[in-house]
Amino acid sequence: MITPAPHEQARTWSGGNGASAYTPTSPLSSSQHSSLRPFTKTGPSSFSGLTNNTVTSGALFLQPCAAPPRPCNPLPGRATMKRKDSFVSTLGRSIDTAGAASSSAVSVKGKLDFLSCLPYEIAMVVVIYADFPTVTTIAQVSRSWRRFASDNAVWRRLFLQQQEWRTPRALASAGYHRRNRRGHGSNSSTTHMEFGSQGAGLKRLQSGSSVVEMGGISSGMASPSACSTNGMNTPRVGDESSFSAMGAAHPLMSAYVGSSLRPALALQHMVAPSPTPSMIDGVIPSGSRGRLRGADWRYLFQQRLELDRHWEKGIADMHVVTGHADSVYCVQCDHDKIVTGSRDRTIRVWDSRSFDCIRTLTGHDASVLCLKFDDSAIVTGSSDATVIVWDWETGTPSLRLVSHSAGVLDVAFDAEHIVSCSKDCTIKVWQRSSGKLIRTMVGHRGPVNAVQLRGSRIVSASGDSLIKMWDINTGELLRTFTGHTRGLACVQFDGKTIVSGSSDQLIKVWDADSGKCTQTLRGHKDLVRTLHFTGGRRAVSGSYDQSIKVWDITTGKCTLDLKDIHTSWVFDVQFSASRIVSTSQDQKIIVWDFSKDLDISAID
């Protein structure tokens, strides 16, 4: 029994609506001492709050004194504070002894579940910065924390943090839209996207210098008001089937121990290691699998994880497309179509699902060596030394650009310019709308085999073994990249990183700003004829050794090797989130589809 000394202040405890408070009173009289009762066990074994002027727990019951409150002392003495600490310590020990497992605001040993005490929107600002393994851990803490981990905004952010997952379709699902439909013909994934005000009903919460984008909380869950009491985010029973037990015992979770499990304050700049689909197996209700549920980001996250696993394991359906009468030199594809150019002087458009040829374009007088397209036009280059701009609707040439003195080996374009390079060792810049030649850039000492355009910078690769960067507006040579020992056949540029392939059988990765070679990829046994790279970690290459390889450019490792498929040189390769498309001298177009048994309609 705890009996306060006469010189100490008693406290009259009150606790309406689950909250606790106390009112200090004046020193107790001897009659008031006798009104204090000893502590008695009562009620359930979990701490249930303070109600009806009592303090309860699994081991304690306090009956306050009956004396009326008197004017309080605003600054309690040292003895008063010690008494308060003693009570909290006793309360904590009693809860620990009783083995109480609390899901309310007060938990083990008197520690506060701060997250559940916060308003829902504020709690979500905390949770939304967690990385994937932390989110799976949060889901196991309690039912209220499970609700935070289930919020659609959390999974939307986790999905969009992965650079390679940010495909145009995924961005459209996130509420982004194209600001310029014409975009970059050389790479559809670089088309500028901006956030639409009505895209996903997002709230933007300004926090210091960072902006947190949160989805509306009507993501298949009750609103905060429906699951809070008296301003507190108290727990409520959720859908147990919506999460599996994603424990830290999972084999891959060990890879996250340490720094990866810490809250990531700059998570928008971080690409987390790829977790396995089984880590969130069961996250999506079973009735939702195999079909798209709109912008259900947990579902999309699960499907994309499984898609990445297919890439790692080489799980793909292979389709062989034939129709050209000679070698197929170039290819570009999107979600709906595959476009190829051939030595038979034709450009063919194929349906990307049925693989039927839906259109054939003729107009060049020699082999079609290169092509790029966007939403409104196709631009092709040929051994006849011309560039043709084709109208999508009519399938007829709208412009023919004539100035090169030898075959046009590659083209690139944006909304304003068309850039072509040639066997004549020059690079030419044309006005897209009129076809007027703006300038010719000379500097290479061999055929310019490949060219890329991003913003105001052109990157070219030549048989002279050099990579050069140019300013499109002035024609000025900005930088020369040296490192390959033999001629270059291909180059890719995403604005920050350059990836090049050469007849020295090497692939090199360069920092565009510093000119430093950051990685050298080894594995091909012959000329690296073609590359495709769209940013992120993945690049795909094709070689005269008849193989196609998938690379992680950050580690330099070959993650997938596709051999013995083509029977001759590989001329061009393209990839998207779900497929690889390659062309060869053997006249075949081969499509590897990694989306077997997956729903990727909102991903690729």
Side-chain angles (χ1 to χ4, degrees), residues 2-80:
I2 298 178
T3 305
H7 63 277
E8 290 186 88
Q9 292 179 328
R11 287 185 172 89
T12 300
W13 293 78
S14 63
N17 297 326
S20 61
Y22 67 89
T23 305
T25 63
S26 60
L28 301 176
S29 64
S30 58
S31 60
Q32 290 171 334
H33 281 305
S34 62
S35 67
L36 291 174
R37 303 177 184 178
F39 298 157
T40 308
K41 285 186 178 182
T42 184
S45 61
S46 62
F47 183 76
S48 57
L50 304 171
T51 59
N52 301 324
N53 293 330
T54 63
V55 179
T56 61
S57 75
L60 298 179
F61 175 83
L62 296 183
Q63 178 64 44
C65 62
R70 299 185 183 181
C72 66
N73 183 354
L75 296 174
R78 182 179 301 176
T80 301

Side-chain angles (χ1 to χ4, degrees), residues 272-498:
S274 299
T276 62
S278 59
M279 294 177 71
I280 60 167
D281 186 34
V283 170
I284 308 303
S286 58
S288 302
R289 301 186 186 193
R291 64 182 178 86
L292 180 64
R293 299 205 310 160
D296 186 335
W297 288 97
R298 280 190 294 164
Y299 179 71
L300 297 183
F301 193 95
Q302 183 195 42
Q303 295 296 298
R304 185 56 205 248
L305 278 184
E306 184 65 19
L307 182 61
D308 280 358
R309 189 181 73 86
H310 286 194
W311 277 84
E312 293 169 4
K313 302 297 183 181
I315 302 172
D317 290 329
M318 189 183 76
H319 306 275
V320 179
V321 183
T322 59
H324 282 292
D326 210 328
S327 303
V328 186
Y329 284 132
C330 50
V331 63
Q332 187 181 339
C333 56
D334 62 15
H335 179 75
D336 302 313
K337 57 189 173 295
I338 300 170
V339 183
T340 55
S342 169
R343 192 168 184 262
D344 64 11
R345 307 181 183 184
T346 66
I347 300 109
R348 290 181 181 265
V349 183
W350 314 81
D351 184 275
S352 64
R353 299 303 169 188
S354 67
F355 306 112
D356 294 329
C357 181
I358 56 179
R359 176 176 286 183
T360 301
L361 309 180
T362 58
H364 280 296
D365 298 325
S367 303
V368 180
L369 301 178
C370 54
L371 67 83
K372 295 294 185 297
F373 69 80
D374 67 3
D375 294 338
S376 60
I378 309 175
V379 179
T380 59
S382 169
S383 296
D384 63 12
T386 66
V387 176
I388 294 180
V389 181
W390 307 78
D391 184 271
W392 263 123
E393 294 184 3
T394 64
T396 58
S398 58
L399 290 172
R400 186 182 294 266
L401 312 180
V402 180
S403 180
H404 284 293
S405 59
V408 178
L409 302 178
D410 201 7
V411 291
F413 66 93
D414 62 14
E416 304 297 330
H417 305 97
I418 295 173
V419 180
S420 59
C421 62
S422 171
K423 193 176 180 180
D424 64 11
C425 307
T426 68
I427 301 164
K428 294 183 182 290
V429 180
W430 316 76
Q431 188 176 66
R432 176 170 173 171
S433 59
S434 65
K436 176 184 177 182
L437 178 63
I438 299 175
R439 64 177 48 87
T440 299
M441 292 177 284
V442 179
H444 282 294
R445 292 175 286 109
V448 185
N449 292 314
V451 67
Q452 292 275 285
L453 170 62
R454 293 293 181 273
S456 62
R457 294 184 293 180
I458 298 171
V459 172
S460 58
S462 169
D464 61 8
S465 79
L466 300 178
I467 302 168
K468 293 182 181 289
M469 180 180 289
W470 314 78
D471 186 296
I472 193 172
N473 298 313
T474 64
E476 177 188 0
L477 177 63
L478 302 177
R479 186 184 299 276
T480 299
F481 300 78
T482 60
H484 284 289
T485 58
R486 300 183 67 181
L488 286 104
C490 50
V491 71
Q492 293 282 285
F493 176 45
D494 72 341
K496 297 180 180 179
T497 302
I498 297 171

Side-chain angles (χ1 to χ4, degrees), residues 23 40 105 149 187 194 206 230 247 266 300 310 323 339 353 370 469 491 525 537 545 550 567 590:
T23 305
T40 308
N187 189 341
E194 66 177 5
Q206 186 76 35
N230 300 323
L300 297 183
H310 286 194
V339 183
R353 299 303 169 188
C370 54
M469 180 180 289
V491 71
K525 304 301 181 183
R537 303 167 66 98
D545 64 12
V550 181
T567 58
I590 296 184

